[in-house]
Amino acid sequence: MPAETRPPGGGTVSAHDAGLLLGRTARGDERAFELLYDVAAAPVHGLARRVVRDPAMAEEVTQEVMIEVWRSAARYDPERGGAMAWIMTIAHRRAVDRVRREQSAGAREARAAHAGAGGPHDPVAERVEARLEHERVRRCLGALTRLQRESVTLAYYGGHSYREVAELVGAPPNTVRTRMRDGLIRLRDCLGVAR
């Protein structure tokens, strides 16, 4: 991993600076988090991509990691290692957890398919359940700000990258990232998804 990374605005951010940015992030400094995001997101995504192998899943893991960095920055202890090492450890754990979760889900589905092969199939109940879930997601999306809702919808339903979303909504990419992060946190809380 390089000792220095070049943020979009120019200049360099060293590993030491990443630690300083993480410290400022722990105190709620959103600008410091944006800079830290610019430095850390690509290495986190690269690691996630190597572990999970699926591009869309790697994007999700990257977002989860960066949200965790934002929320748990105060737990970073510079005495125990560098900021990027701390972030990459979180990324590795999240990526491995995602692989395990996907493998477990696949095994559960296979067992359910095998066990339910002879049982009754109730398509009406499945449609009702899907419709209720759809309404719940729609209600939670409605609780977001306009920019959060547009950004999340374009990224997750439209398959657009941050840069494409930023162009479509006419906002800077860092603003889109921040709004999406905040929107995903609000969606998670609204849907009652466990952390």
Side-chain angles (χ1 to χ4, degrees):
M1 185 176 345
E4 294 192 354
T5 307
R6 192 169 291 285
T12 59
V13 176
S14 68
H16 174 71
D17 293 336
L20 295 174
L21 290 172
L22 192 54
R24 288 176 39 203
T25 297
R27 293 187 298 276
D29 185 335
E30 290 183 17
R31 178 66 185 138
F33 179 69
E34 287 176 12
L35 292 171
L36 184 62
Y37 190 106
D38 290 340
V39 170
V44 166
H45 184 264
L47 184 144
R49 180 80 189 262
R50 285 189 303 275
V51 173
V52 302
R53 305 222 184 260
D54 177 81
M57 201 179 297
E59 283 284 331
E60 291 173 11
V61 168
T62 301
Q63 285 304 305
E64 291 171 7
V65 168
M66 296 313 296
I67 289 170
E68 185 171 343
V69 167
W70 169 257
R71 292 184 144 198
S72 63
R75 289 193 300 232
Y76 166 65
D77 180 2
E79 298 295 320
R80 298 185 70 196
M84 286 304 296
W86 183 76
I87 292 169
M88 296 305 281
T89 299
I90 293 171
H92 186 263
R93 286 180 187 153
R94 283 284 180 150
V96 169
D97 286 348
R98 176 59 68 97
V99 169
R100 288 179 180 153
R101 200 165 47 240
E102 291 297 318
Q103 288 172 341
S104 270
R108 266 193 316 276
E109 288 174 13
R111 283 192 306 269
H114 180 68
H121 175 69
D122 189 352
V124 174
E126 288 176 8
R127 281 196 303 266
V128 168
E129 188 174 321
R131 182 169 292 200
L132 289 172
E133 185 66 24
H134 180 76
E135 288 301 318
R136 194 168 156 223
V137 170
R138 185 182 305 171
R139 178 178 44 80
C140 290
L141 277 170
L144 301 179
T145 67
R146 183 190 58 78
L147 184 56
Q148 287 172 339
R149 183 173 47 257
E150 285 178 358
S151 299
V152 168
T153 302
L154 287 169
Y156 289 93
Y157 294 113
H160 296 283
S161 68
Y162 287 122
R163 186 168 282 120
E164 292 169 337
V165 171
E167 289 172 8
L168 290 168
V169 299
N174 288 340
T175 301
V176 168
R177 282 188 188 116
T178 302
R179 296 305 178 261
M180 281 185 62
R181 181 201 69 224
D182 295 345
L184 291 172
I185 290 169
R186 288 179 65 186
L187 276 176
R188 184 199 65 211
D189 293 345
C190 179
L191 292 169
V193 176
R195 291 184 202 173

